[in-house]
């Protein structure tokens, strides 16, 4: 099991757990490395995020 | 407003978290905040185009790592505390339509490893006394987002129900010298209410079932928490969870709404020799189209009235499991 913690813009943490695939790239990093704007907005903060 | 207010009559905390009124309510599937963020699509909670399992802090938490001070002043009669703790969301899969029952045992096994990691990490925080892992599933239980997920509340105190179980366990040990849950598991395994069993775990409708088709999964040996499980036992737990989920979905022929909760050793630094890991499932359907409500007697008197003998419930769940071909 691999894990990686990232910080969201609003200060909350998010942890990716990976078992059979590599830890996924997040959109901000992918956009920076490709030297182009990511297709999706870089912010992870969803206007509709949350849960029950 | 987010604070803990003391209920002096019941001697328990009530969490007032008014910001939760604003939380997302049943968005359409294409605006699910728990799916991966796709190119050109709106940003979800997960800023990646795929994932296996993800954990993140709840956007609308009941407890916060750094809570604001209470909005009201407490008193000797009415103590008030900041609601300090952690609330996490666990995304079981990137597949919006997946369910625990339909996932391969291997994936549920990975989820068990993630739960274990969270139990250890959150429990190591000095302010956290209890790590409570749970899942609410289905509209009947009040779920507002259908993407497969569970939650973890890291409490700054031991909540009343786990505390009551620990108190009962301590009294039982003082009287008999044995673990209460070990005795319950042994008793259930001798009786007619077992619905599924493996080398490591037993799943049964308890003698004292309160909810319709309530099932408990308990380790056959004394295991205080997820942290003490071997890899083999973790896999055994995954198999048991899949079996119970399968029995539920075949019971009435549709995905059965339920609450799933885990009770285990508190993380307050004390020994707790009576803590014995177990999972409890509380469905609400007493028939395919009738729900059990926690009405006056249950809510006001604290006494559950059940409509079907637990022995019959267990028989129907065994039959459902047989129909699935899993048993």
């Amino acid at each position: 099991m691999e894990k990686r913690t990232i910080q969201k813009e609003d200060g909350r943490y998010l942890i990716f757990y990976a078992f059979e695939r590599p830890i996924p790239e997040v959109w901000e990093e992918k956009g920076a490395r490709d030297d182009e704007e990511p297709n999706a907005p870089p912010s992870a903060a969803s206007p509709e995020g949350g849960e029950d | 407003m987010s604070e803990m207010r003391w209920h002096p009559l019941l001697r328990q905390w009530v969490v007032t978290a008014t910001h939760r009124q604003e939380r997302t309510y049943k968005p359409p599937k294409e605006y699910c905040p728990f799916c991966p963020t796709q190119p050109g699509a709106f940003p979800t909670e997960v800023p990646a185009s795929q994932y296996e399992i993800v954990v993140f802090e709840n956007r609308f938490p009941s407890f916060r790592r750094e809570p604001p001070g209470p909005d009201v002043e407490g008193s000797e009669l009415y103590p008030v505390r900041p609601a300090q703790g952690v609330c996490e969301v666990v995304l079981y899969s990137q597949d919006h339509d997946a369910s625990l029952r339909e996932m391969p045992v291997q994936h549920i096994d990975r989820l068990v490893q993630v739960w274990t990691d969270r139990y250890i990490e959150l429990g190591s925080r000095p302010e956290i006394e209890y790590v409570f892992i749970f899942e609410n599933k289905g509209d009947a239980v009040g779920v507002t987002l259908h993407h497969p997920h569970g939650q973890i509340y890291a409490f700054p105190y031991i909540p009343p129900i786990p505390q009551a179980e620990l108190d009962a366990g301590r009294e039982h040990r003082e009287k008999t010298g044995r673990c209460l849950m070990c005795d319950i598991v042994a008793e259930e395994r001798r009786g007619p209410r077992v619905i599924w069993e493996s080398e490591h775990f037993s799943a049964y409708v308890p003698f004292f079932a309160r909810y319709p088709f309530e099932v408990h999964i308990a380790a056959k040996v004394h295991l205080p928490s997820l942290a003490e499980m071997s890899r083999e036992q973790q896999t055994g737990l995954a198999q048991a969870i899949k079996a119970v989920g399968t029995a539920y979905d075949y019971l009435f022929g549709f995905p059965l709404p339920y609450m799933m909760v885990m009770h285990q050793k508190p993380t307050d630094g004390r020994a707790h020799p009576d803590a014995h890991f177990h999972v409890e499932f509380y469905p609400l359907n007493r028939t395919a189209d009738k729900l059990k409500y926690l009405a006056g007697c249950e809510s006001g008197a604290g006494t559950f009235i059940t409509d079907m003998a637990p022995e019959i419930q267990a028989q129907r769940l065994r039959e459902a499991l047989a129909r699935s071909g899993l048993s």
Side-chain angles (χ1 to χ4, degrees):
Chain A
M1 180 178 83
E2 278 187 84
K3 65 188 242 192
R4 181 188 169 202
T5 305
I6 64 168
Q7 198 83 18
K8 292 161 83 76
E9 284 184 346
D10 59 8
R12 291 179 296 144
Y13 61 77
L14 179 146
I15 310 168
F16 289 102
Y17 286 88
F19 295 86
E20 59 184 19
R21 299 196 296 265
I23 298 275
E25 295 179 52
V26 301
W27 278 109
E28 279 178 317
E29 293 169 347
K30 183 171 167 46
R33 200 187 56 253
D34 294 346
D35 197 27
E36 61 184 23
E37 288 295 311
N39 290 325
S43 168
S46 160
E48 296 292 338
E51 51 65 61
D52 40 271
Chain B
M1 179 186 288
S2 181
E3 63 208 15
M4 290 161 46
R5 298 183 179 206
W6 184 247
H7 188 319
L9 291 170
L10 294 180
R11 294 188 293 185
Q12 58 186 233
W13 291 106
V14 176
V15 179
T16 307
T18 54
H19 56 284
R20 285 178 56 78
Q21 280 284 28
E22 307 303 319
R23 66 191 187 274
T24 311
Y25 186 78
K26 296 181 182 172
K29 183 177 174 179
E30 59 270 28
Y31 288 102
C32 171
F34 294 168
C35 283
T37 297
Q38 297 304 335
F42 85 107
T44 73
E45 286 279 7
V46 187
S49 58
Q50 52 91 12
Y51 64 83
E52 291 181 70
I53 296 173
V54 157
V55 172
F56 63 88
E57 278 185 292
N58 195 323
R59 190 165 175 232
F60 299 96
S62 303
F63 298 96
R64 299 171 194 261
R65 278 183 290 151
E66 295 172 2
D71 277 13
V72 294
E73 199 171 322
S75 67
E76 191 177 339
L77 180 64
Y78 289 158
V80 178
R81 278 173 54 184
Q84 187 176 33
V86 184
C87 290
E88 292 184 342
V89 177
V90 182
L91 303 183
Y92 294 172
S93 163
Q94 68 174 30
D95 179 357
H96 183 86
D97 296 314
S99 73
L100 264 186
R101 194 270 292 179
E102 291 165 325
M103 292 175 190
V105 168
Q106 185 186 43
H107 191 83
I108 304 173
D109 187 21
R110 290 167 179 165
L111 188 56
V112 174
Q113 293 175 60
V114 170
W115 284 329
T116 305
D117 183 71
R118 302 318 301 149
Y119 171 80
I120 293 170
E121 186 170 320
L122 292 169
S124 70
R125 299 185 188 205
E127 73 276 18
I128 300 304
E129 296 196 351
Y130 200 87
V131 179
F132 182 61
I133 299 169
F134 66 102
E135 178 189 354
N136 296 327
K137 183 189 171 194
D139 287 338
V141 181
V143 164
T144 55
L145 293 168
H146 287 113
H147 193 107
H149 72 284
Q151 299 184 59
I152 302 176
Y153 275 22
F155 281 85
Y157 59 90
I158 304 174
I161 290 178
Q163 183 66 65
E165 291 184 357
L166 291 166
D167 292 344
R170 189 183 61 248
E171 284 181 27
H172 185 79
R173 186 179 293 275
E174 285 169 359
K175 202 160 65 177
T176 67
R178 298 188 303 272
C179 164
L180 176 57
M181 272 300 296
C182 287
D183 278 1
I184 287 173
V185 175
E187 178 76 16
E188 291 295 348
R189 291 186 62 207
R190 283 193 292 269
R193 291 175 296 274
V194 172
I195 67 161
W196 182 90
E197 200 162 50
S198 70
E199 182 187 350
H200 299 293
F201 288 90
S202 190
Y204 53 86
V205 178
F207 173 76
F208 46 81
R210 298 176 301 162
Y211 292 86
F213 303 101
E214 177 174 338
V215 169
H216 293 190
I217 296 172
K220 289 179 173 178
V221 296
H222 187 74
L223 278 174
S225 76
L226 285 164
E228 287 79 18
M229 283 187 200
S230 65
R231 279 292 299 118
E232 209 175 294
Q233 287 166 328
Q234 288 179 328
T235 305
L237 176 59
Q239 290 167 334
I241 288 172
K242 185 173 175 81
V244 173
T246 302
Y248 280 161
D249 285 1
Y250 277 79
L251 180 64
F252 297 125
F254 59 80
L256 193 69
Y258 61 71
M259 295 166 267
M260 177 187 77
V261 308
M262 295 187 189
H263 290 166
Q264 53 191 322
K265 185 180 172 182
T267 56
D268 58 354
R270 295 184 187 165
H272 294 291
D274 303 301
H276 183 131
F277 175 87
H278 61 282
V279 187
E280 300 187 2
F281 290 82
Y282 313 140
L284 293 179
N285 283 74
R286 55 191 175 90
T287 67
D289 55 4
K290 293 190 183 75
L291 294 178
K292 164 72 181 173
Y293 290 96
L294 300 192
C297 197
E298 289 84 1
S299 300
T303 294
F304 277 67
I305 314 291
T306 58
D307 303 310
M308 188 188 301
E311 294 74 25
I312 303 298
Q313 297 175 32
Q315 182 187 330
R316 292 192 53 188
L317 288 169
R318 282 194 302 270
E319 290 166 359
L321 206 48
R323 283 198 299 278
S324 77
L326 190 72
S327 60

